[in-house]
Amino acid sequence: MKRLLPLILLLLSACSEPLPADKEIYAGDWEGPGMLLSISSDGRLYYQRAQGSSSTSLDVPIQRFEGDNIVAGLGPASATFVVSQRPHPEQGEWVMVVDGVRLVRQE
């Protein structure tokens, strides 16, 4: 079983569904103070956040959307990214607010 675990994790990490049509607006590379969030059209999420002396990074499939929030991870190990402002144009830029951080889509 221990030999199968890396293979199972590899297969799970490769499994992602494309973004639903009504969520395609989330796709792109988003940056804000101490946070980078990259969402691909094929349903993957890359997240990097620095807070004080600690940092967190994830590269995982998106499991689902709950309203505007994004649930991403592998199996039961998932994280919910709280989207308090969905992507929208603001003064010539695309902006959204995730986990309290204002993010701007990079062109």
Side-chain angles (χ1 to χ4, degrees), residues 3-12:
R3 292 182 189 170
L4 290 177
L5 187 57
L7 179 60
I8 292 169
L9 290 175
L10 178 64
L11 291 173
L12 283 174

Side-chain angles (χ1 to χ4, degrees), residues 71-99:
V71 179
L74 298 172
S78 65
T80 299
F81 297 87
V82 178
V83 179
S84 54
Q85 290 183 17
R86 64 180 296 141
H88 63 280
E90 188 177 287
Q91 298 179 355
E93 299 179 308
W94 279 90
V95 175
M96 74 171 159
V97 176
V98 178
D99 293 341

Side-chain angles (χ1 to χ4, degrees), residues 19 24-30 37-41 96 105-106:
L19 292 179
E24 270 293 324
I25 196 166
Y26 287 77
D29 297 322
W30 302 84
L37 182 66
S38 182
I39 300 171
S40 67
S41 294
M96 74 171 159
R105 183 167 29 208
Q106 305 302 299

Side-chain angles (χ1 to χ4, degrees), residues 26-83:
Y26 287 77
D29 297 322
W30 302 84
E31 290 186 29
M35 184 187 291
L36 169 67
L37 182 66
S38 182
I39 300 171
S40 67
S41 294
D42 67 356
R44 296 226 25 113
L45 179 142
Y46 175 77
Y47 167 83
Q48 187 174 27
R49 186 165 188 186
Q51 291 180 295
S53 62
S54 67
S55 65
T56 304
S57 63
L58 296 170
D59 186 358
V60 292
I62 294 173
Q63 293 179 345
R64 65 187 176 281
F65 283 83
E66 293 177 347
D68 291 328
N69 297 336
I70 305 165
V71 179
L74 298 172
S78 65
T80 299
F81 297 87
V82 178
V83 179

